[in-house]
Amino acid sequence: VSPEIEMCWEFYRGNQYCWVNAKGTLYRDGTVTNADGSGKPRHRVRQVRDMISPEVEQKVSAATSRIPGYDVTPATNDPEDIAAARWADRAAYHGYETWGIDRASEAVVVHALVGRGGWAMPYFDNTVGPYALNEETGQLVGEGEIKVKTFGRECVGWEPGTQFEDSRWFFTRECVPGEEIENLPGFYGGKVTPDSVSSEVANRALSPPGASLTVKTEYFERPSPKNPNGKHLYIANDMVVCPERKYPCVDAQGRVVDMPI
């Protein structure tokens, strides 16, 4: 689906002289006539009337103009649980801008309108300071902050023939610096090789020309009788680069946190 989605993004950017050929390859028609006579014929139309991006921006504004309401239901009628739910309400409103929910919402709607699908994945970034010394490991550990990643249709995949929310597994792909992969907990070692330029993930300018980025794939598998702990893998350069993790995650009380995307 990547060439078709990239064609939609080109239209959104105002570059409408492109199409997907019979081999499934995105083809861009140049609009310049070269001195040697090659390129676009002089009589061909070059003017582009952008009627797509204003329409998309209007729909994005309508979809994200209001702050969503948050209502956290207490698990029981216990006063402590009721008080905790009220605090969770406040935390959700606080995090709307602090965690970038507003920006992520806009990005997801744009992805959905232009590329036929948008996803958001909240995660905890433990590299954000201030930092404190971990006495067990002797390393500095950041206080951390909640953040949100957004993905388009070309960067998310799941079990064929199923709806995303019903799939037993899914994966995400993104272009990141090699150092980010090498700093993952439990990284097996070695040097990560940049490979984003040759990857279809880079189609939508996620990897600018000349950038030394690597495609990082995260694979998530729901718990099953065969694999009761689920599975979470990091893959780069066509290899698993970290030890397998459990999925989904559990909270402090050991309760399963559902699919975070």
Side-chain angles (χ1 to χ4, degrees):
V1 299
S2 294
E4 294 180 1
I5 294 175
E6 173 62 7
M7 180 181 67
C8 295
W9 280 103
E10 286 295 314
F11 286 172
Y12 173 68
R13 301 186 193 109
N15 304 325
Q16 298 173 11
Y17 291 100
C18 62
W19 67 90
V20 177
N21 62 18
K23 296 182 180 180
T25 302
L26 179 66
Y27 183 81
R28 295 177 175 85
D29 186 9
T31 59
V32 177
T33 301
N34 301 320
D36 60 358
S38 61
K40 189 166 185 176
R42 292 183 179 277
H43 67 277
R44 293 287 298 277
V45 177
R46 289 167 170 76
Q47 186 176 12
V48 174
R49 299 186 183 277
D50 182 13
M51 296 182 291
I52 298 176
S53 60
E55 188 74 15
V56 171
E57 291 170 3
Q58 180 181 5
K59 294 181 181 295
V60 171
S61 177
T64 60
S65 59
R66 296 188 179 185
I67 298 177
Y70 297 99
D71 185 12
V72 180
T73 305
T76 68
N77 290 327
D78 186 277
E80 291 186 358
D81 287 347
I82 295 175
R86 291 175 179 172
W87 276 107
D89 277 342
R90 299 178 186 179
Y93 280 109
H94 165 76
Y96 180 72
E97 292 186 2
T98 304
W99 304 334
I101 305 297
D102 50 349
R103 297 186 299 274
S105 299
E106 293 181 5
V108 167
V109 176
V110 172
H111 276 298
L113 292 172
V114 178
R116 298 184 302 174
W119 287 263
M121 172 182 280
Y123 69 101
F124 189 76
D125 185 359
N126 60 3
T127 64
V128 177
Y131 300 91
L133 181 65
N134 187 324
E135 297 180 356
E136 295 182 0
T137 62
Q139 297 179 342
L140 291 176
V141 180
E143 184 179 276
E145 183 59 272
I146 295 174
K147 294 184 178 181
V148 183
K149 294 179 182 179
T150 57
F151 300 95
R153 175 66 183 85
E154 70 275 27
C155 295
V156 178
W158 59 91
E159 187 176 7
T162 66
Q163 296 292 328
F164 172 80
E165 56 271 16
D166 298 327
S167 175
R168 295 175 298 173
W169 52 264
F170 71 94
F171 66 85
T172 64
R173 297 185 302 172
E174 57 182 324
C175 298
V176 300
E179 293 79 5
E180 180 176 324
I181 299 175
E182 295 171 0
N183 291 331
L184 290 171
F187 179 68
Y188 286 144
K191 187 66 176 177
V192 176
T193 305
D195 59 3
S196 65
V197 175
S198 60
S199 171
E200 60 184 10
V201 180
N203 280 348
R204 206 184 62 78
L206 295 177
S207 177
S212 299
L213 300 178
T214 303
V215 178
K216 181 181 74 172
T217 301
E218 290 191 58
Y219 172 83
F220 303 87
E221 183 178 316
R222 291 175 179 270
S224 63
K226 183 179 179 181
N227 188 12
N229 292 324
K231 186 182 295 185
H232 178 194
L233 300 175
Y234 288 99
I235 302 171
N237 295 151
D238 298 325
M239 297 183 297
V240 176
V241 296
C242 294
E244 180 181 315
R245 300 181 180 183
K246 297 179 180 180
Y247 177 80
C249 299
V250 295
D251 60 15
Q253 286 73 38
R255 294 173 297 190
V256 172
V257 179
D258 200 7
M259 184 181 294
I261 187 171

